[in-house]
Structure formats: structure tokens, C-alpha cells
């Protein structure tokens, strides 16, 4: 797994072998059951409560440009959940649903002037569109489809129209016709790098190097990540989270940096981030594993994912099964 080699070892968050690395199925059935509960609950809630249930309140204040209205945030993340579950062990019903979502996303993305779809009314988020591309890539791997032309076109457009001129980093949000809304953000770009690694590895590696150069901070061996480049003076995005003034430490960016560093096997950065978490995150280790008192369920999930995602990405990156 990519996190191996880190002195602190964020693999501590994993009490059992990851599903793909458990040939004797010691824990696989339990993991699969957990995945299915999460997926089925998400699908049932979306059906009963509607698309906007999972969106922030301001989603009700505007009208989506693309019709019929859908959120790329939901379509992409659900399709990726389905794809990753299927890679561990395929399930026909999930395959049908993932292929349907992929067809919808591809049709809407290719008809969009930015090759992106809205997550919120007239707001396309790079985070969500990169997630959608990764979900499509898992479907390509599983179902033998080929969307490399879409990946190429999206990356070419993004390099030309969706990057910050000063840093070369992808901006985090833009209108469906390409007008920037928010500049580069750490809480977004680290995850984008992770997703693009199975879509356009060279582009992903370039963005990771730029993000690390611009957003990484370090004090006495304790590494962290900023939410914005030092020169940035724009308004904060609604989901940027807490940014400590003075040192510009961002909890969201620092947490997501774990995932990017794990993706690119950057053990030095992982080690520095783990030192920071051990110092300021107030780790609690008990019979259930490791968690951080200063975090929450989302941050714990990010750290767990960062420590276990390697086998899935390796398979998808390698091509058809």
C-alpha cells in the first residue's frame, strides 16, 4: 500500500487486511456488507428525500443550467462507490446502476461547454468532476469501455481554461461556461490529484507537485497544508472549513493532503503530516482502532481511505482486468 514506509504509518487506522489484500476472505465479507449498507442507504435516502437532501442549503436558491437537473457531486460519488465495491467483488445490480450513471455523466459532460457538470446551480466543482472522471475510469476497467478521449479533452480544456495563471493549479469552482468562482484550494486540489491519477497520471503528478510547492508548510518537522496560496486574497469557499490565522493551517487541506501524499507514495510528506496529527490531533487508540479527538467522522474516513486505497487505484491504472 502507498502508505507503507511512513515512520508513523497511517496504516494504524486499518485493524484488518484491506478487502483486496485478503485472499482468505477473513474480513472480506464483513467489509462487503459494510459497503453495501452504506451504498444502499445512500441510494434509498436519495430516492426518498430527493437530490437536494445531500446538498447544502443554497442549492435551493438557484436553478441548474443543465436540464434535467442533476448534481455531479452525487452522481460522481455514488458511481465511484459502486465502482470501488465492484472491484473488490462485482455485484450485478451495482454494475447496472454504475453503467447508467456513467452514461448520464458522459452525455452531460460532453454536451457542456466546459466538459464539466454542475454540482450546485451554475457551479461546477473541480473536486466533483474529477471524482466523476475517476468513477468513469473504474467503469472502463470493469466493463471494458473506453473514455480516454473524454479524459484527454477534459485535461486539455482544464490546462487551458481552468488553471490559476500564477500557480498553474486548477481552480476549485467555475460556472458552466467557464467563469472562475473560486481559485485553487487545498481542500479540493489534493483530492483532484488523487482522482486524476487514474485518468491522466502525468497531469495528476504535475498538479501534485505544484500543490505541494505552493501549499505545503512545515515547522520543525511538523508538516501541514494551506488552503490557499500565500498570495491569495479572494473570498473563502463555503466548504473550506477552519483556517488558522497567521500560520494559515487548514484542517481540510491538511487532511486531504494525506490522501494525495499516499497516492503518490510521498512517504516524507506523509511522515511530516503524521507527526502533526500525532501532536495536534489528539489521537485515541482503543480496541476499535485509531481516531483523532480533534477530528470527526469525515477526517477519520479520509485517513482510513488514504491508508487503504492503493490496491484499487493500482488495478485501475494498470488497465482492463
Amino acid at each position: 500500500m502507498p502508505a507503507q514506509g511512513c515512520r508513523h504509518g497511517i496504516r494504524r487506522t486499518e485493524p484488518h487486511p484491506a478487502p483486496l489484500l485478503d485472499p482468505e476472505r477473513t474480513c472480506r465479507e464483513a467489509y462487503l456488507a459494510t459497503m453495501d449498507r452504506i451504498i444502499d442507504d445512500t441510494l434509498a435516502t436519495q430516492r426518498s428525500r430527493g437530490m437536494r437532501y445531500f446538498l447544502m442549503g443554497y442549492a435551493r436558491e438557484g436553478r441548474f443550467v443543465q436540464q434535467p437537473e442533476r448534481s455531479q457531486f452525487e452522481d460522481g460519488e455514488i458511481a465511484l462507490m459502486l465502482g470501488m465495491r465492484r472491484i473488490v467483488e462485482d455485484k450485478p445490480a451495482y454494475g447496472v446502476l454504475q453503467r447508467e450513471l456513467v452514461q448520464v455523466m458522459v452525455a452531460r459532460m460532453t454536451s457542456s461547454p466546459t466538459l464539466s457538470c454542475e454540482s450546485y446551480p451554475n457551479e461546477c466543482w473541480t473536486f466533483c468532476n474529477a471524482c466523476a472522471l475517476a468513477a468513469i475510469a473504474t467503469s472502463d476497467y470493469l466493463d471494458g469501455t473506453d473514455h480516454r478521449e473524454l479524459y484527454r479533452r477534459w485535461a486539455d480544456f482544464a490546462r487551458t481554461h481552468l488553471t490559476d495563471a500564477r500557480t498553474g493549479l486548477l481552480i476549485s469552482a467555475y460556472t458552466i461556461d467557464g467563469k472562475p468562482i473560486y481559485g485553487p484550494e487545498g481542500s479540493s486540489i489534493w483530492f483532484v490529484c488523487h482522482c486524476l491519477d487514474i485518468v491522466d497520471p502525468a497531469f495528476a503528478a504535475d498538479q501534485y507537485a505544484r500543490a505541494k510547492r505552493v501549499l505545503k508548510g512545515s515547522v520543525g518537522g511538523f508538516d501541514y497544508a494551506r488552503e490557499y496560496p500565500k498570495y491569495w486574497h479572494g473570498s473563502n469557499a463555503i466548504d473550506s472549513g477552519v483556517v488558522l490565522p497567521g500560520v494559515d493551517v487548514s484542517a481540510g487541506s491538511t487532511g486531504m493532503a494525506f490522501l494525495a501524499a499516499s497516492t503518490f507514495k510521498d512517504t516524507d510528506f506523509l511522515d511530516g503530516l503524521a507527526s502533526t496529527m500525532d501532536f495536534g490531533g489528539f489521537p485515541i487508540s482503543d480496541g476499535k482502532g485509531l481516531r483523532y479527538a480533534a477530528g470527526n467522522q469525515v477526517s477519520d474516513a479520509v485517513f482510513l481511505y488514504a491508508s487503504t486505497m492503493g490496491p484499487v487505484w493500482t488495478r485501475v491504472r494498470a488497465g482492463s482486468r
Side-chain angles (χ1 to χ4, degrees):
M1 283 186 234
Q4 287 178 324
C6 174
R7 184 177 73 245
H8 293 263
I10 61 172
R11 289 190 69 222
R12 292 175 304 175
T13 56
E14 182 195 0
H16 304 292
L20 281 177
L21 302 181
D22 186 18
E24 297 181 1
R25 305 180 68 88
T26 307
C27 306
R28 182 181 293 201
E29 296 304 327
Y31 281 126
L32 290 172
T34 299
M35 293 179 198
D36 291 352
R37 282 197 302 272
I38 294 171
I39 291 170
D40 293 344
D41 179 70
T42 301
L43 296 174
T45 301
Q46 187 188 52
R47 286 193 299 269
S48 63
R49 306 297 292 270
M51 177 188 74
R52 283 177 169 79
Y53 176 80
F54 289 112
L55 302 180
M56 286 183 279
Y58 76 94
R60 298 174 177 83
E61 298 173 3
R63 183 177 185 273
F64 282 78
V65 176
Q66 281 189 311
Q67 295 291 319
E69 63 179 22
R70 301 183 70 99
S71 173
Q72 189 82 322
F73 156 62
E74 292 186 24
D75 286 347
E77 295 201 13
I78 290 173
L80 186 57
M81 284 198 299
L82 294 166
M84 295 183 75
R85 197 279 187 211
R86 293 179 61 210
I87 290 172
V88 177
E89 186 173 295
D90 211 344
K91 188 172 182 177
Y94 287 168
V96 171
L97 180 54
Q98 187 190 15
R99 287 187 289 272
E100 290 175 352
L101 286 171
V102 166
Q103 290 175 359
V104 168
M105 290 190 296
V106 169
R108 290 166 68 90
M109 292 175 81
T110 53
S111 67
S112 165
T114 52
L115 296 170
S116 295
C117 297
E118 301 153 277
S119 294
Y120 288 83
N122 205 17
E123 288 187 3
C124 300
W125 286 83
T126 313
F127 184 110
C128 301
N129 282 280
C131 180
L133 291 170
I136 295 167
T138 65
S139 182
D140 282 352
Y141 168 79
L142 289 158
D143 302 315
T145 49
D146 185 349
H147 291 94
R148 284 177 293 183
E149 179 64 14
L150 172 61
Y151 308 150
R152 183 195 63 78
R153 291 179 59 203
W154 190 92
D156 286 348
F157 184 90
R159 287 188 185 96
T160 305
H161 301 286
L162 303 179
T163 53
D164 171 56
R166 186 163 175 177
T167 63
L169 284 172
L170 287 163
I171 60 175
S172 58
Y174 42 95
T175 63
I176 199 162
D177 60 0
K179 181 181 178 181
I181 299 175
Y182 298 113
E185 296 174 349
S187 57
S188 175
I189 193 62
W190 300 117
F191 180 75
V192 169
C193 294
H194 165 65
C195 290
L196 293 181
D197 183 53
I198 57 171
V199 173
D200 188 327
F203 189 26
D206 174 74
Q207 285 293 299
Y208 177 70
R210 292 175 185 273
K212 188 177 175 183
R213 185 165 57 248
V214 172
L215 300 176
K216 177 187 174 184
S218 185
V219 178
F222 295 97
D223 290 345
Y224 62 91
R226 302 178 183 88
E227 177 69 346
Y228 303 102
K230 288 183 177 180
Y231 74 87
W232 187 258
H233 298 292
S235 59
N236 289 1
I238 194 169
D239 58 352
S240 290
V242 176
V243 178
L244 297 181
V247 291
D248 292 332
V249 176
S250 164
S253 181
T254 301
M256 295 304 289
F258 267 96
L259 177 57
S262 182
T263 301
F264 295 95
K265 301 178 175 65
D266 189 348
T267 54
D268 288 342
F269 194 18
L270 275 171
D271 193 54
L273 291 168
S275 295
T276 301
M277 288 304 300
D278 283 347
F279 175 75
F282 303 104
I284 298 173
S285 183
D286 53 30
K288 297 180 180 180
L290 176 70
R291 56 191 171 87
Y292 291 93
N296 53 32
Q297 289 180 321
V298 173
S299 61
D300 288 344
V302 169
F303 299 142
L304 177 60
Y305 179 48
S307 69
T308 60
M309 47 65 55
V312 168
W313 251 226
T314 298
R315 290 192 182 190
V316 176
R317 196 188 302 106
S320 60
R321 54 179 177 172

